[in-house]
C-alpha cells in the first residue's frame, strides 16, 4: 500500500502533494512502482496534529480518488470521517482505512456497511493531539488484541461483513517505541484474531529512534526509507498481509525477499514437523 498524503502537515511528506495535479501524478507513480493499493489521505494524524474540517478534507481527497480510480488504480481512503469515506467510495475508493477503527465517528461503521467496501480497523485510543498520554500498557499485545476484538464486535454488529475487515496494530498511535517493537515482534498474536493484518511502520518514530541511537530527531523521516523497508520485510515475514509505505520500490524488493524467505522457512518447518527446529536442519535435507 503506497501512501499519498494530500496534506500540508503530515510528519514526513506534508505539503509535497497538496496540489491535486501533483497528488494524482504521485498516485499513478506509486501504482506503477508496484503498489497494489494507493492510500489517499487528507488529514494528518501525526502526534499533536489538529483536525481539519470535513469540507477541507473532501476537497483534498475526492478529486484525487476519482482521478486515480478512473485510471484503474485500487484506491483506499485514509479517513476517520464517515462523510469523507462515503464521498470517496462514490468517487471510486474500494477500501476505507480508518485509523480510529470506527471510534472517531459513530456513523462510520454503518456507512462502510452500506457502501459494501473493505475496511481497515486500526488500533486507536485517542485523537492525535493527545494520544501520547494514552501510551500506557501492562501487556501491549494482549490489550491491543482485546481492544481490536471489541472493535470487530461493533463493526460486524453494524453490518460490516467479517470478510471485509482488516486489522492494524496502529504503530506509533498511543504507542511508545518499545510498544511498537513488541507488537511487530508478536504480529502472530494479532493474526490469531482471524483477520488479515496491515502494518504501517514507514518512517515512524520508533524506526528513527533506533537509527538515531535513541534520538529520532537525528534522522529525519525522509532518511528512514531503507530501515523502513527492512521493517516491512520483518512484518511480511511475521505474517502481515499488507504494509503501508512511502517508498514503494525499495519496499517491493524487501517484501519479495521476505516472501522467498518465508516460503523456504515454512517448507523447512513442514519437513521437520514444526517451527523451532528449522535452524538446526541442514537445508539440503528438504
Ligand atoms: N499511519 C498513519 C496514517 N494512516 N493507516 C493505517 N492503517 N496504519 C497506519 O499505521 C497509519 C495509517 C500515519 O503515517 P503517515 O503520516 O505517514 O501517513
Amino acid at each position: 500500500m503506497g501512501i499519498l498524503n494530500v496534506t500540508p502537515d503530515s510528519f514526513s511528506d506534508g505539503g509535497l502533494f497538496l496540489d491535486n495535479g501533483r497528488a494524482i501524478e504521485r498516485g499513478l507513480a506509486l501504482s506503477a512502482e508496484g503498489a497494489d493499493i494507493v492510500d489517499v489521505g487528507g488529514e494528518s494524524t501525526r502526534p499533536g496534529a489538529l483536525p481539519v474540517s470535513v469540507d477541507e478534507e473532501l476537497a483534498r481527497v475526492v478529486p484525487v480518488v476519482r482521478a486515480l480510480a478512473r485510471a484503474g488504480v485500487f484506491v483506499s481512503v485514509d479517513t476517520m470521517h464517515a462523510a469523507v469515506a462515503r464521498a470517496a467510495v462514490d468517487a471510486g475508493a474500494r477500501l476505507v482505512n480508518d485509523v480510529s477503527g470506527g471510534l472517531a465517528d459513530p456513523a462510520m461503521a454503518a456507512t462502510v456497511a452500506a457502501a459494501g467496501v473493505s475496511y481497515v480497523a486500526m488500533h486507536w485510543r485517542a485523537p492525535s493531539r493527545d494520544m501520547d498520554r494514552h501510551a500506557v500498557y501492562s501487556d501491549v499485545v494482549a490489550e491491543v488484541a482485546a481492544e481490536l476484538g471489541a472493535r470487530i464486535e461493533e463493526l460486524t454488529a453494524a453490518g460490516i461483513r467479517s470478510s471485509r475487515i482488516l486489522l492494524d496494530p496502529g504503530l506509533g498511535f498511543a504507542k511508545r517505541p518499545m510498544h511498537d517493537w513488541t507488537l511487530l515482534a508478536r504480529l502472530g498474536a494479532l493474526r490469531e484474531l482471524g483477520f488479515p493484518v496491515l502494518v504501517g511502520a514507514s518512517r515512524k518514530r520508533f524506526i528513527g529512534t533506533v537509527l538515531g541511537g535513541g534520538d529520532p530527531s537525528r534522522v529525519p523521516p525522509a532518511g528512514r526509507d531503507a530501515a523502513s523497508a527492512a521493517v516491512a520485510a520483518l512484518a511480511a515475514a511475521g505474517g502481515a498481509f499488507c504494509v503501508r509505505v512511502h517508498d514503494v520500490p525499495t519496499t517491493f524488493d524487501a517484501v519479495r525477499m521476505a516472501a522467498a524467505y518465508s516460503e523456504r522457512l515454512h517448507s523447512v518447518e513442514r519437513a521437520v514437523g514444526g517451527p523451532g527446529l528449522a535452524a538446526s536442519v541442514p537445508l539440503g535435507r528438504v
Side-chain angles (χ1 to χ4, degrees), residues 41-52:
E43 180 180 34
S44 171
T45 50
R46 81 183 149 80
L50 295 174
V52 295

Side-chain angles (χ1 to χ4, degrees), residues 1 3 5 10-13 39 43-46 78 97-99 120-122 168-173 198-204 244 246:
M1 172 186 275
I3 300 171
N5 285 322
S10 285
F11 78 98
S12 76
D13 53 1
D39 189 40
E43 180 180 34
S44 171
T45 50
R46 81 183 149 80
D78 185 345
N97 174 26
D98 179 359
V99 298
V120 177
M122 199 193 80
D168 183 328
L171 303 182
F173 287 80
L198 188 154
V199 173
S202 187
R203 297 185 177 174
K204 284 190 177 164
R244 182 181 179 277
H246 299 86

Side-chain angles (χ1 to χ4, degrees), residues 43-284:
E43 180 180 34
S44 171
T45 50
R46 81 183 149 80
L50 295 174
V52 295
S53 73
V54 165
D55 284 346
E56 177 64 29
E57 200 185 339
L58 284 168
R60 290 177 185 174
V61 156
V62 171
V64 177
V65 169
R66 182 172 293 115
L68 293 177
R70 275 202 186 135
V73 175
F74 187 112
V75 179
S76 72
V77 60
D78 185 345
T79 186
M80 292 186 276
H81 300 119
V84 176
R86 179 73 254 175
V89 169
D90 289 343
R94 291 154 70 184
L95 170 67
V96 174
N97 174 26
D98 179 359
V99 298
S100 82
L103 286 170
D105 185 339
M108 181 63 98
T111 300
V112 171
V117 293
S118 297
Y119 182 72
V120 177
M122 199 193 80
H123 178 260
W124 184 91
R125 283 187 162 178
S128 297
R129 63 179 171 275
D130 64 356
M131 65 184 173
D132 287 349
R133 257 184 336 111
H134 296 266
V136 180
Y137 302 86
S138 55
D139 179 338
V140 67
V141 175
E143 287 167 58
V144 166
E147 288 166 37
L148 283 174
R151 298 314 309 141
I152 292 164
E153 299 264 305
E154 269 204 44
L155 296 165
T156 51
I160 302 181
R161 292 193 358 226
S162 312
S163 60
R164 290 281 191 196
I165 295 176
L166 295 88
L167 298 179
D168 183 328
L171 303 182
F173 287 80
K175 317 274 179 333
R176 295 178 178 282
M178 67 172 178
H179 301 133
D180 296 322
W181 285 112
T182 304
L183 286 163
L184 198 58
R186 303 269 323 277
L187 274 190
L190 294 186
R191 286 181 61 215
E192 278 169 19
L193 291 169
F195 296 82
V197 172
L198 188 154
V199 173
S202 187
R203 297 185 177 174
K204 284 190 177 164
R205 184 176 46 166
F206 75 102
I207 292 179
T209 302
V210 173
L211 292 178
D215 176 5
S217 71
R218 290 175 58 196
V219 182
R224 301 174 189 168
D225 281 342
S228 297
V231 172
L234 293 170
F241 166 79
C242 181
V243 286
R244 182 181 179 277
V245 303
H246 299 86
D247 177 358
V248 168
T250 312
T251 311
F252 193 38
D253 284 353
V255 296
R256 281 154 71 203
M257 296 307 110
Y261 164 83
S262 297
E263 193 189 295
R264 194 66 183 140
L265 178 67
H266 293 146
S267 72
V268 171
E269 285 175 352
R270 271 196 304 278
V272 298
L277 293 172
S280 63
V281 175
L283 281 180

Side-chain angles (χ1 to χ4, degrees), residues 4 17 19-31 64 68:
L4 181 52
F17 309 112
D19 168 76
N20 277 352
R22 287 182 67 189
I24 293 161
E25 228 173 79
R26 175 68 181 152
L28 294 172
L30 290 168
S31 172
V64 177
L68 293 177

